[in-house]
PDB file of all heavy atoms in Angstrom:
ATOM      1  N   ASP A 109      18.356  -7.004 -17.574  1.00  0.00           N
ATOM      2  CA  ASP A 109      17.245  -6.743 -18.487  1.00  0.00           C
ATOM      3  C   ASP A 109      17.249  -7.808 -19.579  1.00  0.00           C
ATOM      4  O   ASP A 109      18.021  -8.786 -19.509  1.00  0.00           O
ATOM      5  CB  ASP A 109      17.314  -5.330 -19.070  1.00  0.00           C
ATOM      6  CG  ASP A 109      18.632  -5.033 -19.781  1.00  0.00           C
ATOM      7  OD1 ASP A 109      19.267  -5.981 -20.297  1.00  0.00           O
ATOM      8  OD2 ASP A 109      19.029  -3.857 -19.822  1.00  0.00           O
ATOM      9  N   ALA A 110      16.408  -7.641 -20.571  1.00  0.00           N
ATOM     10  CA  ALA A 110      16.244  -8.664 -21.612  1.00  0.00           C
ATOM     11  C   ALA A 110      17.498  -8.871 -22.444  1.00  0.00           C
ATOM     12  O   ALA A 110      17.636  -9.900 -23.121  1.00  0.00           O
ATOM     13  CB  ALA A 110      15.069  -8.295 -22.519  1.00  0.00           C
ATOM     14  N   SER A 111      18.433  -7.911 -22.399  1.00  0.00           N
ATOM     15  CA  SER A 111      19.646  -8.022 -23.205  1.00  0.00           C
ATOM     16  C   SER A 111      20.775  -8.748 -22.481  1.00  0.00           C
ATOM     17  O   SER A 111      21.841  -8.971 -23.068  1.00  0.00           O
ATOM     18  CB  SER A 111      20.124  -6.629 -23.627  1.00  0.00           C
ATOM     19  OG  SER A 111      20.579  -5.887 -22.505  1.00  0.00           O
ATOM     20  N   THR A 112      20.578  -9.101 -21.218  1.00  0.00           N
ATOM     21  CA  THR A 112      21.620  -9.802 -20.465  1.00  0.00           C
ATOM     22  C   THR A 112      21.960 -11.121 -21.151  1.00  0.00           C
ATOM     23  O   THR A 112      21.065 -11.880 -21.517  1.00  0.00           O
ATOM     24  CB  THR A 112      21.156 -10.087 -19.030  1.00  0.00           C
ATOM     25  OG1 THR A 112      20.880  -8.851 -18.366  1.00  0.00           O
ATOM     26  CG2 THR A 112      22.240 -10.839 -18.243  1.00  0.00           C
ATOM     27  N   PRO A 113      23.246 -11.409 -21.363  1.00  0.00           N
ATOM     28  CA  PRO A 113      23.623 -12.667 -22.016  1.00  0.00           C
ATOM     29  C   PRO A 113      23.015 -13.882 -21.331  1.00  0.00           C
ATOM     30  O   PRO A 113      22.947 -13.948 -20.103  1.00  0.00           O
ATOM     31  CB  PRO A 113      25.156 -12.668 -21.892  1.00  0.00           C
ATOM     32  CG  PRO A 113      25.525 -11.221 -21.837  1.00  0.00           C
ATOM     33  CD  PRO A 113      24.424 -10.560 -21.053  1.00  0.00           C
ATOM     34  N   HIS A 114      22.544 -14.823 -22.135  1.00  0.00           N
ATOM     35  CA  HIS A 114      21.996 -16.109 -21.705  1.00  0.00           C
ATOM     36  C   HIS A 114      20.624 -16.001 -21.034  1.00  0.00           C
ATOM     37  O   HIS A 114      20.130 -16.998 -20.493  1.00  0.00           O
ATOM     38  CB  HIS A 114      22.963 -16.833 -20.752  1.00  0.00           C
ATOM     39  CG  HIS A 114      24.382 -16.878 -21.235  1.00  0.00           C
ATOM     40  ND1 HIS A 114      24.752 -17.561 -22.381  1.00  0.00           N
ATOM     41  CD2 HIS A 114      25.514 -16.299 -20.750  1.00  0.00           C
ATOM     42  CE1 HIS A 114      26.068 -17.409 -22.577  1.00  0.00           C
ATOM     43  NE2 HIS A 114      26.545 -16.651 -21.602  1.00  0.00           N
ATOM     44  N   ALA A 115      20.013 -14.812 -21.057  1.00  0.00           N
ATOM     45  CA  ALA A 115      18.714 -14.652 -20.395  1.00  0.00           C
ATOM     46  C   ALA A 115      17.680 -15.610 -20.970  1.00  0.00           C
ATOM     47  O   ALA A 115      16.963 -16.290 -20.224  1.00  0.00           O
ATOM     48  CB  ALA A 115      18.232 -13.209 -20.521  1.00  0.00           C
ATOM     49  N   ARG A 116      17.599 -15.688 -22.270  1.00  0.00           N
ATOM     50  CA  ARG A 116      16.584 -16.554 -22.885  1.00  0.00           C
ATOM     51  C   ARG A 116      16.835 -18.021 -22.533  1.00  0.00           C
ATOM     52  O   ARG A 116      15.890 -18.777 -22.272  1.00  0.00           O
ATOM     53  CB  ARG A 116      16.563 -16.362 -24.400  1.00  0.00           C
ATOM     54  CG  ARG A 116      15.418 -17.089 -25.088  1.00  0.00           C
ATOM     55  CD  ARG A 116      15.379 -16.773 -26.576  1.00  0.00           C
ATOM     56  NE  ARG A 116      14.927 -15.426 -26.858  1.00  0.00           N
ATOM     57  CZ  ARG A 116      13.665 -15.082 -27.020  1.00  0.00           C
ATOM     58  NH1 ARG A 116      12.699 -16.004 -26.900  1.00  0.00           N
ATOM     59  NH2 ARG A 116      13.343 -13.843 -27.305  1.00  0.00           N
ATOM     60  N   ALA A 117      18.098 -18.438 -22.488  1.00  0.00           N
ATOM     61  CA  ALA A 117      18.416 -19.825 -22.126  1.00  0.00           C
ATOM     62  C   ALA A 117      18.007 -20.107 -20.684  1.00  0.00           C
ATOM     63  O   ALA A 117      17.512 -21.202 -20.372  1.00  0.00           O
ATOM     64  CB  ALA A 117      19.906 -20.093 -22.315  1.00  0.00           C
ATOM     65  N   VAL A 118      18.200 -19.133 -19.797  1.00  0.00           N
ATOM     66  CA  VAL A 118      17.793 -19.289 -18.397  1.00  0.00           C
ATOM     67  C   VAL A 118      16.278 -19.479 -18.324  1.00  0.00           C
ATOM     68  O   VAL A 118      15.777 -20.390 -17.658  1.00  0.00           O
ATOM     69  CB  VAL A 118      18.234 -18.082 -17.551  1.00  0.00           C
ATOM     70  CG1 VAL A 118      17.597 -18.143 -16.158  1.00  0.00           C
ATOM     71  CG2 VAL A 118      19.752 -18.043 -17.428  1.00  0.00           C
ATOM     72  N   PHE A 119      15.530 -18.626 -19.017  1.00  0.00           N
ATOM     73  CA  PHE A 119      14.069 -18.694 -18.961  1.00  0.00           C
ATOM     74  C   PHE A 119      13.557 -20.004 -19.541  1.00  0.00           C
ATOM     75  O   PHE A 119      12.633 -20.620 -19.002  1.00  0.00           O
ATOM     76  CB  PHE A 119      13.443 -17.516 -19.712  1.00  0.00           C
ATOM     77  CG  PHE A 119      13.894 -16.173 -19.229  1.00  0.00           C
ATOM     78  CD1 PHE A 119      13.815 -15.060 -20.049  1.00  0.00           C
ATOM     79  CD2 PHE A 119      14.416 -16.010 -17.954  1.00  0.00           C
ATOM     80  CE1 PHE A 119      14.235 -13.819 -19.610  1.00  0.00           C
ATOM     81  CE2 PHE A 119      14.845 -14.771 -17.493  1.00  0.00           C
ATOM     82  CZ  PHE A 119      14.755 -13.669 -18.335  1.00  0.00           C
ATOM     83  N   GLN A 120      14.139 -20.413 -20.642  1.00  0.00           N
ATOM     84  CA  GLN A 120      13.712 -21.663 -21.280  1.00  0.00           C
ATOM     85  C   GLN A 120      13.957 -22.851 -20.360  1.00  0.00           C
ATOM     86  O   GLN A 120      13.108 -23.749 -20.244  1.00  0.00           O
ATOM     87  CB  GLN A 120      14.467 -21.853 -22.600  1.00  0.00           C
ATOM     88  CG  GLN A 120      13.994 -23.043 -23.423  1.00  0.00           C
ATOM     89  CD  GLN A 120      14.661 -23.093 -24.785  1.00  0.00           C
ATOM     90  OE1 GLN A 120      15.764 -22.582 -24.965  1.00  0.00           O
ATOM     91  NE2 GLN A 120      14.001 -23.698 -25.751  1.00  0.00           N
ATOM     92  N   THR A 121      15.088 -22.842 -19.652  1.00  0.00           N
ATOM     93  CA  THR A 121      15.403 -23.942 -18.744  1.00  0.00           C
ATOM     94  C   THR A 121      14.487 -23.916 -17.525  1.00  0.00           C
ATOM     95  O   THR A 121      13.994 -24.964 -17.082  1.00  0.00           O
ATOM     96  CB  THR A 121      16.876 -23.861 -18.301  1.00  0.00           C
ATOM     97  OG1 THR A 121      17.722 -23.821 -19.454  1.00  0.00           O
ATOM     98  CG2 THR A 121      17.241 -25.067 -17.456  1.00  0.00           C
ATOM     99  N   LEU A 122      14.230 -22.739 -16.981  1.00  0.00           N
ATOM    100  CA  LEU A 122      13.313 -22.628 -15.850  1.00  0.00           C
ATOM    101  C   LEU A 122      11.933 -23.162 -16.230  1.00  0.00           C
ATOM    102  O   LEU A 122      11.313 -23.906 -15.463  1.00  0.00           O
ATOM    103  CB  LEU A 122      13.200 -21.175 -15.390  1.00  0.00           C
ATOM    104  CG  LEU A 122      14.438 -20.536 -14.757  1.00  0.00           C
ATOM    105  CD1 LEU A 122      14.136 -19.089 -14.366  1.00  0.00           C
ATOM    106  CD2 LEU A 122      14.917 -21.320 -13.552  1.00  0.00           C
ATOM    107  N   ALA A 123      11.458 -22.774 -17.401  1.00  0.00           N
ATOM    108  CA  ALA A 123      10.136 -23.214 -17.845  1.00  0.00           C
ATOM    109  C   ALA A 123      10.077 -24.727 -17.977  1.00  0.00           C
ATOM    110  O   ALA A 123       9.088 -25.369 -17.593  1.00  0.00           O
ATOM    111  CB  ALA A 123       9.788 -22.548 -19.171  1.00  0.00           C
ATOM    112  N   SER A 124      11.142 -25.315 -18.479  1.00  0.00           N
ATOM    113  CA  SER A 124      11.159 -26.769 -18.670  1.00  0.00           C
ATOM    114  C   SER A 124      11.172 -27.509 -17.338  1.00  0.00           C
ATOM    115  O   SER A 124      10.727 -28.665 -17.257  1.00  0.00           O
ATOM    116  CB  SER A 124      12.383 -27.171 -19.497  1.00  0.00           C
ATOM    117  OG  SER A 124      13.587 -27.031 -18.753  1.00  0.00           O
ATOM    118  N   LEU A 125      11.662 -26.861 -16.286  1.00  0.00           N
ATOM    119  CA  LEU A 125      11.755 -27.480 -14.963  1.00  0.00           C
ATOM    120  C   LEU A 125      10.575 -27.135 -14.063  1.00  0.00           C
ATOM    121  O   LEU A 125      10.492 -27.602 -12.925  1.00  0.00           O
ATOM    122  CB  LEU A 125      13.058 -27.047 -14.281  1.00  0.00           C
ATOM    123  CG  LEU A 125      14.356 -27.522 -14.937  1.00  0.00           C
ATOM    124  CD1 LEU A 125      15.555 -26.808 -14.329  1.00  0.00           C
ATOM    125  CD2 LEU A 125      14.503 -29.034 -14.806  1.00  0.00           C
ATOM    126  N   GLY A 126       9.683 -26.287 -14.541  1.00  0.00           N
ATOM    127  CA  GLY A 126       8.542 -25.886 -13.722  1.00  0.00           C
ATOM    128  C   GLY A 126       8.909 -24.921 -12.614  1.00  0.00           C
ATOM    129  O   GLY A 126       8.205 -24.833 -11.603  1.00  0.00           O
ATOM    130  N   ILE A 127       9.997 -24.167 -12.797  1.00  0.00           N
ATOM    131  CA  ILE A 127      10.412 -23.154 -11.819  1.00  0.00           C
ATOM    132  C   ILE A 127       9.922 -21.805 -12.320  1.00  0.00           C
ATOM    133  O   ILE A 127      10.373 -21.330 -13.364  1.00  0.00           O
ATOM    134  CB  ILE A 127      11.935 -23.141 -11.630  1.00  0.00           C
ATOM    135  CG1 ILE A 127      12.427 -24.504 -11.151  1.00  0.00           C
ATOM    136  CG2 ILE A 127      12.349 -22.046 -10.643  1.00  0.00           C
ATOM    137  CD1 ILE A 127      13.939 -24.637 -11.114  1.00  0.00           C
ATOM    138  N   ARG A 128       9.030 -21.193 -11.594  1.00  0.00           N
ATOM    139  CA  ARG A 128       8.367 -19.985 -12.091  1.00  0.00           C
ATOM    140  C   ARG A 128       9.125 -18.695 -11.775  1.00  0.00           C
ATOM    141  O   ARG A 128       9.091 -17.744 -12.563  1.00  0.00           O
ATOM    142  CB  ARG A 128       6.954 -19.898 -11.490  1.00  0.00           C
ATOM    143  CG  ARG A 128       6.231 -18.616 -11.814  1.00  0.00           C
ATOM    144  CD  ARG A 128       4.733 -18.766 -11.825  1.00  0.00           C
ATOM    145  NE  ARG A 128       4.076 -17.492 -12.024  1.00  0.00           N
ATOM    146  CZ  ARG A 128       4.050 -16.807 -13.159  1.00  0.00           C
ATOM    147  NH1 ARG A 128       4.682 -17.278 -14.210  1.00  0.00           N
ATOM    148  NH2 ARG A 128       3.406 -15.662 -13.247  1.00  0.00           N
TER     149      ARG A 128
END
Side-chain angles (χ1 to χ4, degrees):
D109 56 28
S111 68
T112 299
H114 312 295
R116 187 175 288 272
V118 170
F119 304 157
Q120 186 173 26
T121 305
L122 293 180
S124 71
L125 295 169
I127 301 172
R128 174 153 175 72

